[in-house]
Amino acid sequence: MSLFDWFANRQKSGPATPEGQEREIADGLWTKCEACGALTYTKDLRSNQMVCLECDHHMRVYSDQRISQLIDANTWVAIDENLHPVDPLKFRDRKSYSDRIRETQEKTRLTDAVQTGIGQIESLPLALGVMDFRFMGGSMGSVVGEKLTRLIERATQQHIPVVIVCASGGARMQEGMLSLMQMAKISGALERHQSHRLLYIPVLTHPTTGGVTASFAMLGDIILAEPKATIGFAGRRVVEQTLREKLPEDFQTSEYLLQHGFVDAIVPRTQLKRSLAQLIRLHQPAAPSSHLVSSFPAIKALSKTALD
Amino acid sequence: MAHSPDRRPILLDFEKPLAELESRIIQIRELAEENEVDVSGEIRQLEERALQLRQEIFSSLSPLQRMQVARHPRRPSTLDYIQAICDEWMELHGDRGGHDDPAVVGGVASINGRAVLMLGQQKGRDTKDNITRNFGMASPGGYRKAMRLMEHADRFHMPILTFIDTPGAYPGMSAEELGQGEAIAYNLREMFRLDVPIICTVVGEGGSGGALGIGVGDRLLMFEHSVYTVATPEACAAILWKDSAKANQAAEALKITAADLKNLGILDEILAEPIGGAHSDPLKAAETLKEAILRNLAELDQLTNQQRRELRYQKFRSIGVFAETTV
């Protein structure tokens, strides 16, 4: 076949090639970056933790991937996987909540919008919660509230730090006020954890909004965020309606929050594990005071002089 | 109270048949007086009928109608109740961070001779006042003022009484810039830390996180026609039904009434309102509130600080409905 023929054939079977390309993308061989449009071999993208190799855009990662990105191999022990959402209000909008739960569970193979467990990060033990945006927009209902509360309580008992990777549209409306109250419940568990002088670090990823922002996402001793994530309390459209004017381009981004003092650091995903490990290591309980005194003989001598 | 008696009543849609009946009674009475006819028997009958009708209407309000009562422009708000139930009151201002949010009022007070701290969201009493008060929508400075006052109360062993009446936290750009989420979150955590008794009452509208930001306590009380929502029915309808006109359905589905919330274990006590709603007899509503506060306070006084904090934790700890399968 001549090159001409090849072209002729190609034109005849016109849509075949783009379709084929689409299929390859769909099959997951190649992934297109939604920010810069670059096509990347999915395997390469995955080994770069779903951060675009061309433009550094942080694509969405789901809870399983996130856990394996952060936790040392063979150290993850999932907890409370047997908690399932129910439909206490018999809520029905255009679809019933029970149907929505069932369909989402089948589609995502998740029980609800958060995975929790105990694991190690560079050999340091921690309690980790990872929200999953696929499950009804990462919304927080009774199961998310209960799982995170149990996780924090367990961390308090075991004297270990808590890290929660946030990705949520806020409280789950289908569970009404039960959802709103989870904000208080989790915050109460964090109060106990904090009063034991234990470290809590939320990691804010795209998007972190509503009731999650107005509770555990903003209660970190140290708050980290992924680059260019949307983080805010009220939705952008609601704010626009309130103001009736255009908002700045970077409104409610990680960078905006950093600038206004609500985030400690923006950490690229590829450095997240190392940064978390570093922070946890730096906040390890201090060595006994006797050890401290003996290691600073100069201070001891000085205070003696002062007493004299 | 705050409302001058000469102002004409503001009628809600469902009150119209009642208003018609009442104006008929007035007409008949005037006619009878003019013509010197005795119609007292008939009038008494009609008045009984009006009372019955009022009872019927207010005992079978739909959730959205209840919301209208909760949002009634004449419904007593925080300052009305504070003035009615206190022997003494001095308002305190400022979050000590550069803001004094008029949507949140707070101060030291005395109730039955006992020093307490009272605070709450304040809606305006007219359009001008409403603009000043930002319709009771607090900014981060409001939540920080509230927390500053609550910490003050804790230091001086004063019980804290909060009054909730807000459509929600202010969703403006300045509020986002100043950390609306952080301000509310901080209060949620710190209210668990306080040693003194805390009683929260939803006196009007309990709008989502904006309400919860002063709503973590040992007791949650709610007036009969108040509502407490995770999202306004209008917003919920827009998001889930993609049609804000479905607010009525959303209001039904969201379970926002006092009775619903009592069933869900969120609420401790429902405060009965005068027939026709708190705005029809604010002083009577205030009396009910005062009695409930003093009674609950007496119960909480029996506990140690530690016991109260533990019970407060357990109260919220137990909220939530889910299934736990055995593995």
Side-chain angles (χ1 to χ4, degrees):
Chain A
M1 186 170 65
S2 73
L3 196 60
F4 180 78
D5 286 343
W6 184 80
F7 263 107
N9 275 340
R10 195 178 118 113
Q11 267 166 2
K12 248 183 272 167
S13 56
T17 313
E19 249 176 34
Q21 202 182 43
E22 284 294 322
R23 194 177 317 122
E24 274 189 340
I25 296 175
D27 287 345
L29 207 50
W30 295 85
T31 303
K32 190 178 174 182
C33 171
E34 61 259 83
C36 72
L39 275 178
T40 313
Y41 197 40
T42 305
K43 227 166 138 188
D44 293 345
L45 197 60
R46 216 165 259 158
S47 62
N48 200 42
Q49 306 192 6
M50 301 305 281
V51 177
C52 177
L53 295 155
E54 296 294 323
C55 73
D56 278 338
H57 173 66
H58 285 54
M59 297 178 199
R60 192 161 279 156
V61 293
Y62 299 120
S63 45
D64 288 322
Q65 270 174 295
R66 181 75 72 172
I67 291 163
S68 61
Q69 284 170 10
L70 291 178
I71 296 291
D72 297 346
N74 306 319
T75 65
W76 178 250
V77 182
I79 54 174
D80 298 316
E81 283 181 298
N82 55 331
L83 296 196
H84 295 266
V86 294
D87 182 8
L89 309 188
K90 302 276 166 273
F91 194 97
R92 167 177 268 283
D93 46 81
R94 289 170 305 158
K95 197 185 267 182
S96 80
Y97 179 40
S98 347
D99 285 347
R100 235 178 250 278
I101 292 170
R102 192 171 31 77
E103 284 166 24
T104 314
Q105 283 180 335
E106 277 165 15
K107 208 170 73 193
T108 60
R109 305 251 146 247
L110 295 165
T111 52
D112 206 313
V114 74
Q115 292 203 56
T116 55
I118 306 289
Q120 289 179 14
I121 190 161
E122 294 187 5
S123 303
L124 301 157
L126 87 163
L128 176 70
V130 181
M131 303 189 81
D132 200 309
F133 196 75
R134 279 177 303 171
F135 201 99
M136 298 181 70
S139 57
M140 167 172 57
S142 298
V143 171
V144 171
E146 182 69 19
K147 283 179 83 169
L148 287 176
T149 303
R150 288 190 191 183
L151 180 78
I152 297 160
E153 284 176 339
R154 189 184 286 234
T156 307
Q157 261 168 24
Q158 298 184 7
H159 278 265
I160 54 174
V162 174
V163 171
I164 300 177
V165 181
C166 303
S168 172
R172 186 173 296 168
M173 283 183 279
Q174 289 89 343
E175 291 184 30
M177 282 294 291
L178 293 170
S179 298
L180 191 79
M181 291 296 159
Q182 303 308 310
M183 292 166 62
K185 177 162 134 182
I186 298 167
S187 302
L190 284 173
E191 191 274 320
R192 295 192 156 188
H193 187 255
Q194 192 189 49
S195 65
H196 283 78
R197 295 174 192 279
L198 295 165
L199 181 67
Y200 164 50
I201 307 175
V203 179
L204 315 185
T205 74
H206 181 75
T208 298
T209 59
V212 169
T213 300
S215 59
F216 58 92
M218 283 293 153
L219 290 177
D221 298 292
I222 292 170
I223 304 177
L224 304 182
E226 282 198 340
K228 293 186 179 137
T230 297
I231 305 159
F233 173 65
R236 192 187 171 99
R237 263 182 305 164
V238 179
V239 179
E240 261 168 357
Q241 276 166 13
T242 312
L243 258 76
R244 295 208 176 78
E245 62 181 88
K246 277 274 166 232
L247 295 164
E249 186 81 348
D250 71 339
F251 183 61
Q252 295 184 327
T253 59
S254 310
E255 292 72 17
Y256 177 92
L257 265 84
L258 182 72
Q259 201 191 334
H260 288 94
F262 291 100
V263 156
D264 286 284
I266 296 175
V267 181
R269 191 178 295 156
T270 46
Q271 287 163 42
L272 184 58
K273 179 169 180 168
R274 209 172 57 198
S275 301
L276 285 172
Q278 186 184 22
L279 285 171
I280 292 170
R281 213 177 291 116
L282 286 169
H283 291 82
Q284 295 276 68
S289 53
S290 60
H291 172 73
L292 271 180
V293 172
S294 65
S295 63
F296 294 109
I299 292 173
K300 210 174 173 183
L302 197 69
S303 55
K304 212 174 165 196
T305 333
L307 276 173
D308 296 337
Chain B
M1 287 214 342
H3 313 308
S4 41
D6 53 283
R7 284 202 289 178
R8 289 163 144 254
I10 297 169
L11 288 176
L12 301 171
D13 284 348
F14 54 84
E15 285 179 306
K16 294 221 166 105
L18 187 64
E20 271 166 35
L21 186 59
E22 278 169 347
S23 70
R24 277 259 304 282
I25 296 173
I26 294 168
Q27 269 178 353
I28 292 171
R29 187 177 283 145
E30 279 170 0
L31 263 170
E33 268 170 33
E34 273 171 34
N35 302 316
E36 290 176 14
V37 192
D38 182 21
V39 287
S40 55
E42 286 87 337
I43 288 195
R44 204 175 309 120
Q45 260 186 346
L46 281 173
E47 274 172 345
E48 266 169 36
R49 172 78 196 112
L51 183 68
Q52 204 186 348
L53 188 62
R54 189 181 284 276
Q55 267 166 338
E56 274 169 25
I57 290 173
F58 277 86
S59 64
S60 60
L61 294 178
S62 77
L64 203 64
Q65 285 171 335
R66 250 174 238 273
M67 185 141 209
Q68 284 175 281
V69 178
R71 286 175 179 171
H72 195 287
R74 298 278 165 77
R75 190 171 176 83
S77 190
T78 300
L79 282 174
D80 303 303
Y81 285 117
I82 288 177
Q83 279 157 12
I85 68 177
C86 287
D87 334 317
E88 288 182 73
W89 156 250
M90 183 170 172
E91 188 175 345
L92 304 173
H93 290 275
D95 70 349
R96 299 299 185 266
H99 296 88
D100 180 41
D101 186 358
V104 174
V105 295
V108 284
S110 136
I111 182 168
N112 259 21
R114 177 166 188 192
V116 295
L117 183 108
M118 294 190 177
L119 67 95
Q121 289 108 353
Q122 178 63 38
K123 288 186 177 177
R125 288 157 177 162
D126 52 44
T127 310
K128 202 176 148 223
D129 194 20
N130 245 328
I131 288 164
T132 312
R133 302 273 183 204
N134 203 16
F135 300 87
M137 294 186 288
S139 291
Y143 293 104
R144 292 183 183 128
K145 169 161 84 175
M147 198 63 234
R148 176 212 144 210
L149 293 177
M150 289 192 276
E151 279 164 356
H152 171 87
D154 203 45
R155 276 194 302 279
F156 291 92
H157 310 291
M158 295 176 183
I160 297 167
L161 311 175
T162 78
F163 305 105
I164 295 167
D165 190 13
T166 179
Y170 179 54
M173 185 166 121
S174 56
E176 292 292 313
E177 211 170 87
L178 293 167
Q180 189 68 286
E182 192 275 344
I184 293 171
Y186 186 82
N187 287 14
L188 300 189
R189 185 184 65 204
E190 295 305 307
M191 287 181 89
F192 281 101
R193 212 186 293 275
L194 302 173
D195 283 328
V196 293
I198 307 172
I199 300 173
C200 310
T201 309
V202 187
V203 295
E205 205 180 347
S208 194
L212 191 59
I214 58 164
V216 177
D218 303 302
R219 293 283 191 278
L220 180 62
L221 319 180
M222 192 163 156
F223 270 107
E224 191 185 343
H225 299 310
S226 287
V227 293
Y228 200 170
T229 63
V230 64
T232 61
E234 293 85 353
C236 176
I239 297 167
L240 294 182
W241 277 265
K242 315 270 180 220
D243 179 3
S244 51
K246 295 281 198 311
N248 207 359
Q249 272 163 272
E252 291 276 348
L254 282 168
K255 303 277 181 277
I256 61 176
T257 68
D260 285 329
L261 297 176
K262 185 97 196 325
N263 283 339
L264 289 170
I266 287 167
L267 202 62
D268 295 296
E269 189 176 329
I270 301 174
L271 309 182
E273 290 188 29
I275 300 160
H279 61 281
S280 70
D281 191 350
L283 284 173
K284 194 168 177 207
E287 231 171 77
T288 309
L289 177 66
K290 187 173 181 175
E291 184 280 323
I293 285 175
L294 291 173
R295 177 167 37 77
N296 278 286
L297 211 47
E299 281 171 28
L300 293 169
D301 281 339
Q302 304 300 309
L303 306 166
T304 65
N305 293 349
Q306 211 183 345
Q307 282 171 329
R308 257 193 316 263
R309 284 179 49 178
E310 175 64 25
L311 288 172
R312 193 184 305 154
Y313 185 77
Q314 292 308 334
K315 170 179 159 62
F316 285 89
R317 182 70 191 82
S318 64
I319 299 177
V321 182
F322 51 86
E324 190 162 14
T325 51
T326 45
V327 252

